[in-house]
Amino acid sequence: MSIEIRKVGVIGAGQMGGGIAQVAAASGYEVALNDISEERINAGLATINGNLARQVSKGHLTEEEKTLILARITSAPTYEHFNDADLVIEAAVENEDIKRKIFQALCPALKPTALIGTNTSSISVTRLASTTDRPEQFIGIHFMNPVPVMQLVEVIRGIATSEETFEATRALVEKIGKSLTVAEDFPGFIVNRILLPMINEAIYTLYEGVGSVESIDTAMRLGANHPMGPLQLADFIGLDTCLSIMQVLYEGLADSKYRPCPLLVKYVEAGWLGRKTRRGFYDYRGEKPVPTR
Ligand SMILES: CC(=O)CC(=O)SCCNC(=O)CCNC(=O)[C@H](O)C(C)(C)COP(=O)(O)OP(=O)(O)OC[C@H]1O[C@@H](n2cnc3c(N)ncnc32)[C@H](O)[C@@H]1OP(=O)(O)O
Ligand SMILES: NC(=O)C1=CN([C@@H]2O[C@H](COP(=O)(O)OP(=O)(O)OC[C@H]3O[C@@H](n4cnc5c(N)ncnc54)[C@H](OP(=O)(O)O)[C@@H]3O)[C@@H](O)[C@H]2O)C=CC1
């Protein structure tokens, strides 16, 4: 039996949740956006508005299309607003305890047929699914940042994920105009199993004094043709998220090669989380980013 998705709930209105809400609404889905406070939801909606306005100013979208897209996104301060959702995608912080609590509170508010997706970057989909009342209807739907721009969605089945859930997810990814890759449910899946150790190594390179922030980023931008240097990318992803992913790799694979760099830990402890707090490996508080080392 095929499952048709019309309304999508999104939990977490940060950079990923906001991006997912935007692309889903732009593809014709009704979207309900949740976060821990109305203030956070409104900040997410304001970012979406700004992104769409930029597309209008570049001539990629008309003012009328922008209005239609925004009208499809409603604010969902409580999970009761998800009672008619066909799929809810969780995109809250990369913290397993928080995600477990979200799923426990979410399930009673959903209709029995609703699917649950998680945008986790690294955490076991099978383990997260086991905290719900519907592991067969649970799946990893891992969008890349920035969501409106990046082509890939990594899809991860948990041990119990049904074929119907997978096919409904595939149809959604295709309708949104993205490409899908399938990863097995191991720590960090494919993208972050490869990308995050590279970023962590760049931070070790900085920590050991092999290069400055600028020289490391220039080396990888011009020497390996990466669109962003690894430290610039770490700031873009969020240093808290980078550290959480490295911890999941380190603990889940029990190999010292995944040890998070102590300098990454220090930045997170300082609350220097990258662009979202306006300070990380670069200081973004002035006119242009200035390296902090
Ligand atoms: C951690 C995880 O779990 C997984 C991950 O996501 S890892 C991170 C994966 N992402 C990356 O590696 C991103 C690497 N960086 C890049 O690809 C590029 O630097 C970039 C696409 C972000 C920006 O590209 P750029 O050429 O420097 O910038 P720019 O020309 O200003 O932007 C290109 C387009 O992207 C859009 N864009 C840029 N940043 C954006 C953002 N944050 N949100 C929405 N749109 C954005 C611009 O509006 C522009 O759109 P148009 O083509 O419609 O005009
Ligand atoms: N950043 C990236 O490049 C990528 C991240 N991801 C994954 O996406 C998820 C979100 O990351 P990202 O958007 O970057 O993070 P952000 O920090 O930008 O956003 C997370 C949002 O979730 C909110 N939040 C925290 N707890 C709850 C809760 N209980 N209920 C609802 N909302 C909550 C946060 O509020 P507050 O700030 O108040 O805590 C914040 O607004 C993570 O699992 C991450 O690993 C996946 C792909 C790429």
Side-chain angles (χ1 to χ4, degrees), residues 74-112:
T74 53
S75 173
T78 65
Y79 295 148
E80 276 63 49
H81 291 80
F82 293 151
N83 63 8
D84 56 347
D86 305 298
L87 164 70
V88 175
I89 303 178
E90 172 279 316
V93 284
E94 190 70 353
N95 175 310
E96 188 163 343
D97 280 346
I98 292 178
K99 290 190 190 295
R100 293 171 89 93
K101 286 188 184 121
I102 287 174
F103 295 131
Q104 276 156 11
L106 171 70
C107 285
L110 298 181
K111 59 183 183 184

Side-chain angles (χ1 to χ4, degrees), residues 34-159:
N34 166 272
D35 202 299
I36 41 181
S37 67
E38 298 222 22
E39 245 180 354
R40 287 261 176 227
I41 299 172
N42 290 337
L45 290 171
T47 305
I48 296 170
N49 192 15
N51 278 343
L52 295 174
R54 204 169 55 231
Q55 283 184 259
V56 172
S57 70
K58 286 179 178 169
H60 299 324
L61 204 67
T62 65
E63 196 60 52
E64 293 69 36
E65 285 167 331
K66 171 176 175 258
T67 307
L68 277 175
I69 294 170
L70 286 173
R72 284 192 205 109
I73 311 177
T74 53
S75 173
T78 65
Y79 295 148
E80 276 63 49
H81 291 80
F82 293 151
N83 63 8
D84 56 347
D86 305 298
L87 164 70
V88 175
I89 303 178
E90 172 279 316
V93 284
E94 190 70 353
N95 175 310
E96 188 163 343
D97 280 346
I98 292 178
K99 290 190 190 295
R100 293 171 89 93
K101 286 188 184 121
I102 287 174
F103 295 131
Q104 276 156 11
L106 171 70
C107 285
L110 298 181
K111 59 183 183 184
T113 52
L115 309 183
I116 305 177
T118 175
N119 189 52
T120 180
S121 294
S122 58
I123 300 167
S124 163
V125 171
T126 300
R127 217 162 51 225
L128 291 176
S130 74
T131 67
T132 73
D133 58 1
R134 60 193 77 199
E136 299 77 13
Q137 291 159 235
F138 191 97
I139 193 160
I141 313 180
H142 183 207
F143 287 83
M144 304 294 137
N145 187 14
V147 180
V149 179
M150 302 299 283
Q151 190 53 42
L152 185 76
V153 179
E154 199 174 20
V155 174
I156 307 105
R157 293 179 177 95
I159 199 167

Side-chain angles (χ1 to χ4, degrees), residues 206-218:
L206 176 68
Y207 178 61
E208 291 170 11
V210 181
S212 65
V213 167
E214 234 163 5
S215 55
I216 292 166
D217 276 348
T218 303

